[in-house]
Amino acid sequence: MGTTASQLGKDLLSEYQELTFLTKQEILLAHKRFTELLTKDERDGANSRLPMDRILTLPELKSNPFRERICHVFSTSPQKDGSLTFEDFLDLLSAFSDSATLEIKSHYAFRIFDFDDDGTLDGSDLEKLVNCLTGETDETRLSPEEMRQLISNILEESDIDKDGTVNLSEFQHVISRSPDFVSSFKIVL
Amino acid sequence: MSVSFTTGDEDEISTSEHERGKNRGKRNSNDKEKKKKGNGRRKASREREGEEDLQDRTEKREKGKKRRAKNDLDEKQPEEEDEEQVKVKNGKVAKSKKNLKNETTRKIEQEKKEEGDAEEGKSKKKKKKEEKDRGKQTEKEEEKKKKHKKETSEEDNEEEEEDEEEKEVRPESLSPEELEKLKEAVDEKKKLIQGLRGKPWPMKKKLVTLRESQEFVEKYEGALGKGKGRKLYAYKVMMTKKWMKFQRDFENFKTACIPWEMKIKEIESHFGSSVASYFIFLRWMYGINMILFGLTFGLVMVPEALMGRPYGSIPRKTVPRAEEGSAMDFAVLWDFGGYAQYSVLFYGYYNNQRSIGWLKFRMPLSYFLVGVGTVAYSYMVVIRTMARNANESGVGDDNSFNFSWKMFTSWDYLIGNPETADNKFASITTSFKEAILEEQESRKDDNIHLTRFLRVLANFLVLCCLAGSGYLIYFVVRRSQKFALDGLENHTWWERNEVNMVMSLLGMFCPMLFDVISALENYHPRVALQWQLGRIFALFLGNLYTFIIALMDEINLKREEEKVVKFNITMWEASLYNGTVSENSTASPITIHPADIPRGPCWETMVGQEFVRLIISDTMTTYITLLIGDFLRAVLVRFLNYCWCWDLEAGFPSYSEFDVSGNVLGLIFNQGMIWMGAFYAPCLPALNVLRLHVSMYLQCWAVMCCNVPQERVFKASGSNNFYMAMLLVILFLSTLPAIYTIVSIPPSFDCGPFSGKSRMFDVIQETLESDFPAWFSKVFIMVLFYIQTKIQIAFIQLAIYYLQSTSKSYKEANVELKKKLQTVTLSELHVVWILLLTFEINLCFEIRALVF
C-alpha cells in the first residue's frame, strides 16, 4: 500500500477524492488493482492504457453482460478500442460507486445501453439490450415474436414524445422512479 | 444537465433556421475580432494560451457550422449528434475556462499597470459594471432556461471580449458592488468545484477544470474583503478549507471503521444484492446493539460492580443458603441461576442505595434513565433510518413503467459469479416472458373457483397452525410453572427447558409448513413471498405474546408469594429480636449471615432470566439448524453424490438456498426480545452483541461454503423499508409490555434498584426533591405533566417527521420530473398540515386547562 500511495502522489490523490465519489481507501485499492493488471514495462509509464481484454479479467466485470459496453463508454482512447487509463478506470468506479448520484448513474447507464452511440435508444439498441439480459444460450433467448411485443411495450411506456426512440431525458425519467436502480447499478472493487 | 442541453439544441436546430444564419454571421465577425485582439494586446506569456483557447474555439465553431449544414441537408447523423453532445459540454467547460482566463488576465494586467489605474476614470468602471451585470444576468437565465444556450453564450463571449478591453482596477479600489460580484464569482467557482464530481465528464477534463477553478479561487480569495474584514475573511476561508479537509479525512476514517466490508462485498458478488442486504442489516443491527450495550454497560453494570456494595454484603447480593451447594454447577449457571443470578447481570442484584461510591453516582436514577434511553434511542434510530430510506428510494410504487424497469434496471451489476449470472439470465428471461403473457391475456378465469377455494383452505390451515402453536406455548408455560413449584431438581433437562425448546422448534418448523401450504395457493412468487412473510410474522408475534401473557401470570403468582414471604419475614424478625432480647438483655447487634436471611421471590429477576434463556436457546437453535440444515446437508450431498443412484446436486436434496426473509425476521424478533427484556436483565444487549458477532462470521462462512445462489434472484429493492417497518412494529409491540410492567406493577420489596418504592418511576420524583431546588422540581413536574398528556402528540410528531421526509422525496421527484405527482404531494402535505393543526388546537386546549 505504501508504495502505491507514494506513486499516486498526495495532491493527485486529494484531487481524485474531490472529483470522484470514492474514498481514499477505494482509490488506493483501485490503483493497486489497476497496476496489478499492467505488465512490468507498462507500469513505469504514468498514463499507460490498459487494453480491454485485460480489464475484463477483473472478476467484478467478468460475468457482466455489459462489460464491453462499459469499457467503451468510459474509455477516452482515440482509437475507440475500449482501453482504459487509470483515470478512466476511476471514472468507472466513481459512477458505479455507492454514493454516486442517480443523475450520473442514469447518464452512464444510458450510454451503456446505447449500443450504437447515437444518443437515443432505438429498436435495435433495445433488441441488443434484451439479448444481453437474457444471456447467450438459445434456451433463454426470446422468440422474435416475444421480442417484438416486448420492445413495443417498452416504447409505449417510456417513449413520451412518441418519436420511436427513448432519449436520455425520457430514460432518466423512467429510471428515477425505479426503486432499485441505484442499489443495483453498483460495482465495488 | 447535459441532456437538456442536447435536446434543447436539437429543438433549436429543427425549429429556427434563419436565426442560425444570423448567428453564423455574428460568429464569423466575432472570430476575426478576437484573433485581432488576441494578437494585438496580450503579453507574450498570456498570448500563447489565449490564442490556443481562441483557436480551439474557432475550430469548434467551424466544425459546428459544418455539422449544422450537414444536419440541414439530411436528418440526424448519429455520430455527429453524439459529438455535438460532447461539444456542448466542451463549450461549457471552455466557457468557464475562458471566464477564468479573463479574470486571470485582468489580474496580471492589474499588477503591471498599477500606476495607470487612477486616471482610468470612473466612467469605465461603471460601464464595465453594467456589462458585467448583463453578463451575469444572461448567465443566470441560461442556467434556468438552457434552451437559448447558443445565443447567450454568444453574447457572453462578446461581452467578455469587451471586458478584456478595459484595464482592471485593484481589488482595494473596487467598489463594494464589484467586490460583491467577485465574491459571487468565487462562490460560483467553489460551487463548481463541489459539483464537479457529479458531472459525467472524463477525468482529464474534470482535473483541468478543478485546477483552474482552484487557481482562480486562490487568487481572488485573498483579494476579497477590506482592512479588518479582510483578515477575518482570510481566516474564514482558511478555516473552511481546514474543515473540508477534516471532513474528508473523517469520512475516510469512518469508511475505514465500517467492519466486514470485504466479507459483504464478496457475498454481494456471489449472491447479488438481496443476500448482501441481509448482512448489511445484520451489521446495522450490530451497531445499534453496540450502542445499547455501551449504555447499559457503562452507566449501569460497571458502576454497580465497581462502586456498589460488594458481593455478599447484603441478602440481595448473596446466594441463599439453600442454593449454595449447587450455585457453581454448570447446569445451574447455564440456566443463569446460582452465581449468575446474583450478579450485575440481573435486576435483582442492584441496591436501592440512592448514591454510590465517591462519585455519588445516582444508581437507581441511572438505571431508570438508561432503560428509558434505550427505548428512546431505538425509536429514533429506526425512524430516522426509515425516513432516509424513503428519501433514497424515492417514489417507487408506480406501476406504469413495468416493462421499462424490467429492461433497464433488472441487471444486478454486483453479480460477479458466473453461476449467479446464469441464474439471473434465466430469471430475467422468465420475468420477461411472464410479463408478456400477462399483458397478452389479462387473466385466465376458468378455474377461479378452484383457486379461491384452495386459497381459503390454505388460510384456514395457516390459522389452525397459528392457533395450535399459541395454545401449545401457553400449555407448556403453564406446565413449566407447575414444575417450578415442585422444584426444578426433580425434573429432566427436557422438562426444564421445555418452553424455550418448544418456541424455537415452532419457529423452525412452522415456516416450512407454511411454505408447503402456500403451494396450494398458486400465487405469483413475489406475492407468495409477501404472504409467507406476513404469516411468519404473525406466528412469531403470536408466540411472543403468548409467552408474555404466560409470564404475566407467573409474575402475579410471584407477587402473591411475595406477600406471604413479606409477612413471614416480619414474623421472623420479630421472633429473632424477641429471642435475642430474652437471651441476653445487653442488646448486642445481631449478626446473621446475609445468605440466611429469608427473601422474596423477586419477579423482575425471574423475567430477566426467562428472556435470557429464550435468547440463548434461540441462538442455539439458529446455529444448530445452520450446521445441520446447511453444512451437513451440503457435505452429504457433496460426498454421497459419488455413490448414489440419482444426481443429488441437481436433483432432490441439492444444496440449500439462503433464506433472506426468514433470517431477517429471525433477527427482528430477536431484537424485539432484547428490547423487552433489557430492563430486567442489563446483560441482554451484551449477549446480543456477542450473538450477532458470531452470527456474522458463522453465517458468512455458511453462505459462502454451503449455499447455492438463489434460483430466483430477487433484488434488495425497496424491501429495506419493509424490514424497517416490521422492526418499528416489533419495537412498539415489545416496549408495550415493558412499559406496562414498569408503570403498573410495584417493584419487589427486597431486590433491585427501586425496592421500597411504590412505583419504579418514583425515582425521578425522589431525585427532583432531594437534588434540585424546589422551584426546579415544580417547573419540571409541570412540564412532565404537560408531556404526559402529550404522549399521543409525540407519536403524531414522529408521524409528521416521517411524512415530511417522504413528502420531501415526493417533492424532489416532482421537481425533477413532470407534474404528475403533484396532487399526491399536495394531499400528503395536507395530511401533515392537518396533523399540525390538530396539534396546535390540542396545545391551545392544554394551555387553557393549565391556566384555569
Side-chain angles (χ1 to χ4, degrees):
Chain A
M1 276 304 236
T3 53
T4 50
S6 63
Q7 262 177 35
L8 258 182
K10 221 173 168 185
D11 292 341
L12 206 57
L13 192 60
S14 78
E15 275 172 344
Y16 285 151
Q17 280 181 66
E18 190 74 55
L19 293 177
T20 60
F21 291 98
L22 305 171
T23 62
K24 191 174 154 195
Q25 293 94 326
E26 285 167 327
I27 292 173
L28 289 177
L29 179 66
H31 192 253
K32 196 173 139 221
R33 296 287 294 274
F34 190 79
T35 35
E36 274 168 8
L37 289 177
L38 289 172
T39 54
K40 266 271 160 54
D41 43 326
E42 279 171 339
R43 258 173 233 188
D44 303 328
N47 263 343
S48 37
R49 290 193 167 274
L50 196 57
M52 185 163 77
D53 49 342
R54 245 184 289 157
I55 291 163
L56 296 184
T57 56
L58 280 174
E60 284 79 11
L61 284 171
K62 209 167 52 189
S63 24
N64 195 322
F66 303 110
R67 50 190 178 264
E68 282 161 20
R69 281 301 303 160
I70 292 175
C71 283
H72 276 295
V73 165
F74 285 95
S75 166
T76 53
S77 140
Q79 293 97 1
K80 301 209 181 296
D81 57 354
S83 61
L84 298 184
T85 63
F86 176 58
E87 290 183 349
D88 299 338
F89 189 57
L90 277 187
D91 274 332
L92 190 159
L93 291 177
S94 170
F96 278 102
S97 78
D98 223 349
S99 41
T101 56
L102 174 72
E103 201 186 318
I104 199 157
K105 275 181 191 282
S106 55
H107 175 95
Y108 280 113
F110 181 80
R111 283 175 59 187
I112 288 167
F113 296 155
D114 183 11
F115 284 85
D116 47 10
D117 291 320
D118 64 349
T120 56
L121 299 183
D122 49 21
S124 66
D125 283 330
L126 292 177
E127 198 176 324
K128 276 183 201 156
L129 176 57
V130 174
N131 282 338
C132 270
L133 282 174
T134 51
E136 277 90 45
T137 50
D138 280 335
E139 58 190 272
T140 55
R141 278 273 159 92
L142 295 182
S143 69
E145 176 59 27
E146 284 169 331
M147 182 74 86
R148 202 188 50 74
Q149 178 81 33
L150 185 63
I151 289 173
S152 77
N153 276 333
I154 285 168
L155 287 178
E156 203 172 291
E157 278 173 5
S158 28
D159 183 20
I160 293 162
D161 59 3
K162 299 292 169 210
D163 60 351
T165 58
V166 181
N167 63 33
L168 181 50
S169 50
E170 286 164 351
F171 180 76
Q172 282 182 325
H173 175 72
V174 172
I175 288 284
S176 64
R177 312 284 279 280
S178 158
D180 41 24
F181 172 69
V182 174
S183 64
S184 66
F185 196 76
K186 267 199 298 193
I187 292 178
V188 187
L189 271 192
Chain B
M1 293 278 270
S2 52
V3 197
S4 26
F5 276 134
T6 344
T7 49
D9 271 353
E10 277 165 20
D11 283 350
E12 205 191 28
I13 288 162
S14 55
T15 51
S16 57
E17 281 188 27
H18 66 281
E19 212 174 67
R20 211 174 304 124
K22 227 167 51 187
N23 275 346
R24 225 176 283 160
K26 233 183 187 175
R27 242 173 250 135
N28 276 335
S29 59
N30 237 351
D31 290 343
K32 277 173 206 161
E33 238 177 63
K34 265 173 222 155
K35 265 192 183 164
K36 252 195 279 170
K37 278 178 207 160
N39 292 336
R41 197 167 311 115
R42 284 178 197 168
K43 308 278 175 222
S45 58
R46 310 254 79 231
E47 213 173 79
R48 191 170 36 82
E49 247 182 275
E51 209 179 349
E52 257 177 32
D53 188 20
L54 280 175
Q55 269 171 356
D56 202 34
R57 263 185 294 143
T58 334
E59 262 174 39
K60 261 179 229 157
R61 266 190 209 122
E62 235 105 60
K63 263 191 200 167
K65 264 184 270 163
K66 272 182 213 158
R67 190 177 66 237
R68 255 172 230 118
K70 246 189 212 168
N71 273 357
D72 285 351
L73 286 175
D74 53 44
E75 303 93 55
K76 286 163 195 170
Q77 289 265 328
E79 273 190 34
E80 295 270 337
E81 243 173 85
D82 187 44
E83 218 176 295
E84 184 181 9
Q85 186 187 330
V86 176
K87 221 140 255 169
V88 174
K89 281 184 244 142
N90 276 343
K92 218 178 150 197
V93 191
K95 217 185 66 177
S96 59
K97 266 193 239 170
K98 218 200 102 211
N99 249 333
L100 179 109
K101 255 168 213 158
N102 283 341
E103 307 279 9
T104 42
T105 1
R106 265 184 232 154
K107 175 88 180 173
I108 285 176
E109 276 172 8
Q110 214 184 96
E111 280 163 3
K112 291 197 173 166
K113 301 194 177 178
E114 276 173 323
E115 318 84 48
D117 284 358
E119 305 101 83
E120 274 312 340
K122 278 166 192 172
S123 61
K124 275 194 179 175
K125 228 199 252 176
K126 259 184 203 163
K127 196 177 148 205
K128 210 204 96 192
K129 213 171 69 192
E130 272 171 29
E131 268 151 10
K132 244 190 163 177
D133 257 334
R134 251 207 298 159
K136 276 271 143 55
Q137 259 182 1
T138 41
E139 252 175 29
K140 264 171 203 164
E141 268 173 26
E142 164 206 291
E143 261 174 4
K144 275 177 208 157
K145 289 178 186 171
K146 283 170 188 174
K147 277 194 177 175
H148 310 297
K149 166 103 212 290
K150 280 281 137 73
E151 291 103 305
T152 42
S153 69
E154 222 49 65
E155 274 175 52
D156 263 5
N157 287 345
E158 275 172 21
E159 276 159 17
E160 274 153 26
E161 291 310 322
E162 279 168 86
D163 272 3
E164 269 177 59
E165 282 176 50
E166 300 180 41
K167 312 263 155 65
E168 253 302 335
V169 279
R170 301 201 56 168
E172 282 81 11
S173 56
L174 284 173
S175 66
E177 289 93 13
E178 281 170 322
L179 267 178
E180 208 50 46
K181 294 264 152 60
L182 201 58
K183 216 177 236 170
E184 255 172 48
V186 169
D187 284 345
E188 225 161 78
K189 284 277 180 264
K190 277 186 189 161
K191 225 177 269 169
L192 177 74
I193 292 176
Q194 266 171 8
L196 214 50
R197 66 172 63 164
K199 298 225 154 66
W201 302 339
M203 182 66 85
K204 241 189 199 126
K205 191 181 292 173
K206 282 196 280 186
L207 261 181
V208 170
T209 322
L210 174 76
R211 280 178 190 155
E212 284 177 353
S213 312
Q214 268 177 347
E215 200 183 324
F216 174 83
V217 169
E218 260 164 43
K219 239 178 197 153
Y220 279 91
E221 238 165 16
L224 286 171
K226 272 189 209 163
K228 281 180 194 169
R230 187 170 180 171
K231 237 175 198 172
L232 190 72
Y233 186 79
Y235 181 72
K236 247 201 269 174
V237 168
M238 200 187 73
M239 283 319 282
T240 35
K241 240 184 224 167
K242 283 255 163 73
W243 175 239
M244 290 271 283
K245 193 178 174 318
F246 173 76
Q247 264 182 326
R248 199 192 292 151
D249 284 350
F250 187 68
E251 207 61 36
N252 284 337
F253 176 72
K254 254 190 352 202
T255 40
C257 281
I258 296 174
W260 304 307
E261 197 67 34
M262 288 315 288
K263 265 188 164 27
I264 290 176
K265 195 243 133 189
E266 202 179 336
I267 289 170
E268 244 171 8
S269 76
H270 263 82
F271 295 91
S273 56
S274 75
V275 174
S277 78
Y278 165 73
F279 286 94
I280 290 169
F281 188 64
L282 179 63
R283 187 173 63 181
W284 183 80
M285 218 59 141
Y286 183 78
I288 288 184
N289 277 289
M290 272 311 251
I291 289 180
L292 297 188
F293 165 69
L295 272 178
T296 48
F297 193 71
L299 292 175
V300 171
M301 288 166 86
V302 169
E304 178 71 25
L306 291 182
M307 298 187 287
R309 289 198 175 182
Y311 173 83
S313 54
I314 44 172
R316 72 184 69 175
K317 298 197 177 197
T318 324
V319 178
R321 190 67 75 198
E323 292 172 26
E324 243 175 20
S326 63
M328 210 48 206
D329 293 356
F330 180 73
V332 175
L333 285 180
W334 183 249
D335 263 353
F336 286 86
Y339 283 110
Q341 187 182 345
Y342 299 95
S343 70
V344 280
L345 303 183
F346 291 102
Y347 173 94
Y349 181 80
Y350 294 81
N351 197 0
N352 61 347
Q353 213 178 343
R354 224 170 65 75
S355 60
I356 54 170
W358 50 274
L359 279 175
K360 299 276 174 232
F361 191 77
R362 303 281 189 270
M363 193 60 219
L365 181 69
S366 166
Y367 196 101
F368 187 77
L369 289 183
V370 164
V372 174
T374 305
V375 173
Y377 171 76
S378 311
Y379 267 109
M380 205 188 72
V381 167
V382 172
I383 288 185
R384 266 188 54 184
T385 319
M386 272 182 82
R388 207 186 316 132
N389 279 356
N391 264 345
E392 266 173 19
S393 62
V395 195
D397 28 277
D398 192 341
N399 228 7
S400 56
F401 297 121
N402 194 7
F403 280 100
S404 309
W405 285 350
K406 276 205 173 73
M407 183 84 141
F408 297 136
T409 71
S410 57
W411 185 258
D412 193 341
Y413 287 74
L414 286 163
I415 292 175
N417 186 22
E419 201 182 334
T420 321
D422 285 345
N423 283 346
K424 188 79 190 171
F425 286 138
S427 88
I428 288 176
T429 313
T430 41
S431 84
F432 277 151
K433 282 182 179 162
E434 271 172 8
I436 291 169
L437 270 181
E438 262 175 48
E439 184 79 9
Q440 275 171 353
E441 44 196 304
S442 43
R443 260 205 180 274
K444 280 184 205 165
D445 47 6
D446 45 0
N447 50 4
I448 186 84
H449 291 296
L450 180 65
T451 326
R452 259 189 211 153
F453 169 73
L454 282 176
R455 283 180 189 174
V456 169
L457 181 71
N459 278 317
F460 178 71
L461 286 176
V462 168
L463 275 182
C464 286
C465 280
L466 288 178
S469 76
Y471 177 72
L472 190 61
I473 288 175
Y474 192 74
F475 172 75
V476 168
V477 173
R478 290 316 278 281
R479 212 161 78 121
S480 79
Q481 282 161 14
K482 214 169 66 202
F483 290 149
L485 284 182
D486 294 353
L488 281 175
E489 302 78 44
N490 314 328
H491 296 281
T492 56
W493 178 85
W494 168 257
E495 277 168 338
R496 271 184 280 133
N497 292 290
E498 209 172 34
V499 181
N500 308 322
M501 292 311 290
V502 164
M503 278 188 73
S504 304
L505 287 177
L506 277 177
M508 205 165 82
F509 287 109
C510 277
M512 292 185 200
L513 207 62
F514 291 161
D515 214 10
V516 173
I517 291 173
S518 72
L520 280 178
E521 293 177 309
N522 196 22
Y523 275 127
H524 184 272
R526 203 174 284 268
V527 184
L529 186 76
Q530 278 165 2
W531 274 94
Q532 173 81 352
L533 277 181
R535 280 166 189 165
I536 300 176
F537 192 78
L539 170 79
F540 281 4
L541 205 64
N543 290 358
L544 208 60
Y545 260 70
T546 335
F547 176 73
I548 289 164
I549 290 167
L551 215 58
M552 286 289 178
D553 282 358
E554 209 166 333
I555 289 175
N556 288 335
L557 274 180
K558 291 263 172 177
R559 288 187 52 220
E560 296 291 319
E561 198 187 326
E562 196 181 281
K563 269 181 205 156
V564 177
V565 169
K566 212 170 171 180
F567 179 71
N568 282 348
I569 285 177
T570 41
M571 293 293 285
W572 175 79
E573 271 174 349
S575 70
L576 199 71
Y577 188 67
N578 288 340
T580 44
V581 165
S582 62
E583 270 170 27
N584 44 345
S585 48
T586 50
S588 67
I590 317 142
T591 49
I592 302 169
H593 194 268
D596 295 324
I597 298 173
R599 60 187 76 178
C602 197
W603 60 267
E604 290 96 336
T605 300
M606 185 269 299
V607 172
Q609 270 177 311
E610 286 297 333
F611 275 107
V612 172
R613 277 179 211 148
L614 201 61
I615 293 286
I616 295 280
S617 76
D618 187 46
T619 312
M620 286 297 132
T621 4
T622 315
Y623 292 165
I624 289 170
T625 3
L626 195 82
L627 283 181
I628 294 177
D630 287 348
F631 183 65
L632 212 64
R633 177 167 156 189
V635 168
L636 284 182
V637 168
R638 181 90 177 77
F639 290 104
L640 281 184
N641 201 26
Y642 296 118
C643 48
W644 205 259
C645 24
W646 71 81
D647 189 5
L648 284 174
E649 281 181 347
F652 163 59
S654 91
Y655 299 104
S656 55
E657 283 176 7
F658 188 77
D659 173 21
V660 178
S661 48
N663 273 304
V664 167
L665 272 181
L667 209 59
I668 288 173
F669 271 87
N670 173 53
Q671 193 59 38
M673 286 190 265
I674 301 292
W675 279 322
M676 245 189 262
F679 190 75
Y680 297 114
C683 62
L684 266 184
L687 268 181
N688 202 32
V689 166
L690 204 69
R691 175 209 163 123
L692 294 181
H693 199 99
V694 175
S695 279
M696 191 78 193
Y697 284 99
L698 199 64
Q699 285 191 310
C700 271
W701 164 78
V703 159
M704 291 306 284
C705 103
C706 19
N707 286 12
V708 286
Q710 288 152 309
E711 214 150 295
R712 288 188 163 273
V713 188
F714 288 113
K715 265 182 302 177
S717 79
S719 54
N720 274 338
N721 243 8
F722 180 62
Y723 295 147
M724 280 294 160
M726 279 204 284
L727 195 64
L728 189 68
V729 170
I730 286 298
L731 177 57
F732 180 70
L733 291 176
S734 60
T735 43
L736 269 191
I739 290 175
Y740 171 75
T741 51
I742 289 171
V743 171
S744 66
I745 302 181
S748 302
F749 73 99
D750 66 340
C751 69
F754 311 112
S755 55
K757 298 189 177 59
S758 64
R759 290 286 184 267
M760 289 179 189
F761 52 79
D762 285 348
V763 69
I764 302 268
Q765 206 179 348
E766 187 198 71
T767 316
L768 280 175
E769 276 164 11
S770 48
D771 286 348
F772 291 99
W775 62 266
F776 183 82
S777 70
K778 241 179 215 165
V779 170
F780 186 80
I781 285 172
M782 241 163 75
V783 171
L784 199 71
F785 171 73
Y786 187 64
I787 288 173
Q788 233 175 3
T789 56
K790 277 285 179 292
I791 282 184
Q792 75 273 39
I793 302 287
F795 277 105
I796 289 174
Q797 272 173 329
L798 285 179
I800 287 174
Y801 176 64
Y802 182 73
L803 279 179
Q804 265 175 338
S805 50
T806 11
S807 86
K808 208 195 286 169
S809 74
Y810 271 110
K811 260 193 245 165
E812 274 165 17
N814 259 0
V815 173
E816 269 175 38
L817 311 171
K818 306 208 156 182
K819 278 133 199 161
K820 205 174 157 192
L821 270 172
Q822 204 152 30
T823 48
V824 183
T825 319
L826 279 178
S827 66
E828 192 94 350
L829 279 174
H830 206 65
V831 170
V832 174
W833 195 71
I834 287 171
L835 284 175
L836 272 170
L837 209 75
T838 48
F839 172 72
E840 224 131 85
I841 290 167
N842 234 332
L843 216 85
C844 289
F845 276 121
E846 285 305 322
I847 289 167
R848 215 171 288 164
L850 272 176
V851 167
F852 296 114

